[in-house]
Amino acid sequence: MAFARNMYTIDSSSGFSPKKMVNPWKTYVKLSAVLMGSHDLTKGSLAFLNYPVQLMFKSTKVLLVMVMGAFIPGLRRKYPAHEYVSAILLVLGLILFTLADAQTSPSFSVIGVIMVIGALVMDSFLGNLQEVIFNMNPETTQMEMLFCSTVVGLPLLIPPMVLTGEVFEAWNSCSELNPLIFHVRMF
């Protein structure tokens, strides 16, 4: 059965259902915890860092992914020396930029740096963990990975959004855009 939506066609017969899962739920609990932790730390770091500094830190993710990939069982990747040199030069450039920005930017904070580094570590685990899941069980589909990590991650994401008030802001914003669907207005 296919549903037409604008110019795209969605084929519901090839979709994912939990009955077709090839990995246990605990795999997706781990994956979602890392994904949501990374998301929360990245977003939270913006309260302490300006966006260019955060972006520079996030651009060094490649080095951590390389390092983690070399030590995670199931991957044990090896990279040529010139790739490590390139990644190290990238990090050195980041350090110089950050030191210069620390002198001029009032929104630079050590807490923000610690938060964004935590997010980077989680990001490096995330990509490698996904690859391990695909390697250990080749029948895993991208749809399963996306669906299950989203279903498990949603309960992990909602409490921080309620505590910060973002869920209410989002609901009210959506209700202004489409009052027919979001007819209940929250505070």
Side-chain angles (χ1 to χ4, degrees), residues 25-47:
W25 280 105
K26 69 179 181 179
T27 301
Y28 296 111
V29 169
K30 293 174 191 174
L31 185 67
S32 292
V34 172
L35 179 64
M36 294 306 137
S38 170
H39 174 269
D40 290 344
L41 286 172
T42 298
K43 199 166 181 206
S45 70
L46 284 173

Side-chain angles (χ1 to χ4, degrees), residues 26 29 64 78 91 119 122 127 135 141 148 155 179-180:
K26 69 179 181 179
V29 169
L64 284 171
K78 294 182 181 174
V91 171
M122 288 187 168
N135 288 345
T141 63
C148 293
L180 294 176

